[in-house]
Amino acid sequence: SSASTMSDFGERAGLVSCPTRWGHWQQSIEEVTVTVECQLPPLKGSDVKVDIKPKYLKVVVRGSTIIDGALAQPVVVDDCCWTIEDGHVLSILLVKSERTPENTWKSLLEHEYMISSEDLDETQKKMTLERFQSEHPGFDFSDADVTGNYKNGGPALPSS
């Protein structure tokens, strides 16, 4: 399945993590993962409210609003989900509506939680490699390096 191949690629190649005051967020071609680090006592599902709309995210933990605003780009609400891991990590999976390397999110919310220019550069490289991997599943691009034209999804590779 291509979904497991892509997540395997992400694990092997390592996604670029964008630190925030509440944790971090990172992205692949298809998804944005938001990780909220929470204090003890362990979280229960009833402690968390996550409201995901096509262009909006609100996260409330134990009555405190952690994230509230317009998403940088739209998501597919029905494919998004959240989980509590190890009792103190809230993980939110946002599935991008526009799943191409050209649609690298430059911030999580509009004008908030921006990705640094160095991290944006690294993310575009990773997403270009991820695209190459999906187009050529017989090859392993996870340790490859990209130079030259990798902005906006990189060059078109010749078909095999």
Side-chain angles (χ1 to χ4, degrees):
S1 81
S2 70
S4 69
T5 304
M6 288 298 94
S7 63
D8 292 348
F9 176 83
E11 286 172 21
R12 289 194 317 273
L15 299 177
V16 177
S17 184
C18 305
T20 65
R21 60 183 164 70
W22 38 258
H24 65 271
W25 68 277
Q26 57 191 26
Q27 65 184 311
S28 67
I29 290 177
E30 298 186 353
E31 304 165 342
V32 171
T33 305
V34 178
T35 303
V36 179
E37 302 281 343
C38 301
Q39 302 300 316
L40 292 171
L43 281 177
K44 301 186 298 277
S46 58
D47 294 331
V48 176
K49 284 182 65 176
V50 178
D51 185 13
I52 303 169
K53 295 188 169 94
K55 276 277 290 174
Y56 173 79
L57 176 64
K58 183 172 185 176
V59 178
V60 178
V61 177
R62 296 189 183 113
S64 296
T65 300
I66 308 296
I67 301 169
D68 186 6
L71 290 166
Q73 294 190 40
V75 297
V76 182
V77 175
D78 290 346
D79 293 343
C80 298
C81 62
W82 61 270
T83 58
I84 296 171
E85 299 166 11
D86 301 326
H88 66 93
V89 176
L90 173 61
S91 183
I92 304 163
L93 178 71
L94 303 172
V95 177
K96 295 177 177 181
S97 292
E98 303 290 328
R99 292 184 279 261
T100 62
E102 300 82 52
N103 288 295
T104 304
W105 289 25
K106 293 172 180 59
S107 61
L108 177 62
L109 302 181
E110 287 180 357
H111 315 299
E112 198 171 359
Y113 310 119
M114 309 294 283
I115 187 170
S116 72
S117 55
E118 297 84 17
D119 286 347
L120 178 61
D121 205 49
E122 191 62 27
T123 297
Q124 288 182 322
K125 287 181 184 180
K126 299 268 188 205
M127 289 171 68
T128 298
L129 289 172
E130 187 180 353
R131 192 198 95 205
F132 291 169
Q133 183 72 61
S134 68
E135 292 172 357
H136 303 277
F139 295 93
D140 181 0
F141 289 93
S142 60
D143 289 327
D145 190 24
V146 181
T147 58
N149 177 16
Y150 56 85
K151 302 271 194 265
N152 299 318
L157 289 181
S159 300
S160 46

